[in-house]
Amino acid sequence: MVKRRRSKKWIWRLLFLILLIVAVVVCYLVWDSYFNDRKDDKGEPETSQMEQKEVRESEKEEEDEPNDSNDGKKVTQYEGENPNMASELSGVITYAGVQNGKLMIRVNIDQYLESGRCELYLKRAEGLIYSATTGIVGSASTATCEGFDVSMDEIGTGKIDIVINLSADSKTGLISGEVDI
């Protein structure tokens, strides 16, 4: 008696067909979600300009709302006036300390300047003990004095008042501070 062999090619063909259908469905879903995300990014083309303006304004208001992480305080990005429009020059002494036997004084000026003059005056109760002049150097959005390095032999130790007169572009300003050495 001869046994009949059954062909199993139909099982492989059916499995291939099912995998092909699944791959097409997955590709469609990925394709569709990709283009839906792009439409959401661009906004709906049917919306009018007024609606778009209202949406932008509401987004700005949401950004201005206080954040819980800063204890309900509103954070303003640009606080105060533009220092470049001020009638006087202003700044701060960023460093005043002794290194290698010299009193080093560094100054940052709030305005952007390309040139000018910084006049340093060191004073004690008895009067002026030292003076020097350096130029102003421009930085990215501010300026700085070239720096003052004063020998400790010239000024001694104790409390010293620092006064720096700034002059540039027909504007003047005064920066003051003190150092105890």
Side-chain angles (χ1 to χ4, degrees):
M1 188 163 200
V2 177
K3 281 190 170 183
R4 188 172 169 198
R5 290 183 143 200
R6 292 188 184 185
S7 176
K8 295 186 181 180
K9 287 183 181 179
W10 68 273
I11 294 174
W12 291 111
R13 288 181 184 158
L14 182 64
L15 184 62
F16 177 75
L17 184 62
I18 291 171
L19 288 175
L20 183 63
I21 291 171
V22 168
V24 168
V25 169
V26 168
C27 287
Y28 172 76
L29 293 174
V30 169
W31 182 271
D32 187 49
S33 69
Y34 174 76
F35 282 105
N36 277 342
D37 288 345
R38 298 215 40 182
K39 287 179 189 173
D40 291 342
D41 290 343
K42 292 181 181 176
E44 292 296 321
E46 292 89 34
T47 59
S48 68
Q49 290 180 350
M50 282 296 283
E51 290 173 350
Q52 290 177 354
K53 185 176 179 182
E54 289 173 3
V55 168
R56 283 190 218 118
E57 288 175 359
S58 66
E59 288 174 353
K60 287 181 184 177
E61 289 172 4
E62 289 173 4
E63 290 174 1
D64 291 342
E65 290 178 3
N67 189 351
D68 292 340
S69 65
N70 62 6
D71 299 329
K73 295 178 184 174
K74 185 176 177 181
V75 177
T76 304
Q77 184 174 356
Y78 300 104
E79 200 171 292
E81 298 292 321
N82 181 352
N84 290 321
M85 300 299 173
S87 60
E88 291 185 352
L89 299 175
S90 61
V92 64
I93 298 172
T94 57
Y95 180 77
V98 177
Q99 288 188 357
N100 299 326
K102 293 182 180 181
L103 173 62
M104 299 176 74
I105 300 172
R106 301 296 181 255
V107 177
N108 188 43
I109 302 169
D110 296 333
Q111 292 81 9
Y112 174 74
L113 304 168
E114 292 182 4
S115 64
R117 194 173 67 199
C118 298
E119 298 172 346
L120 170 71
Y121 299 101
L122 299 179
K123 301 177 182 180
R124 284 207 175 96
E126 60 270 3
L128 180 68
I129 57 172
Y130 182 85
S131 67
T133 302
T134 65
I136 291 178
V137 179
S139 184
S141 62
T142 60
T144 185
C145 294
E146 289 178 356
F148 299 100
D149 294 339
V150 183
S151 174
M152 291 299 295
D153 295 336
E154 294 182 52
I155 58 173
T157 60
K159 181 180 170 187
I160 299 174
D161 293 321
I162 302 170
V163 177
I164 300 172
N165 289 326
L166 306 171
S167 59
D169 297 335
S170 70
K171 294 181 182 180
T172 61
L174 178 74
I175 299 174
S176 62
E178 63 181 37
V179 64
D180 193 8
I181 50 177

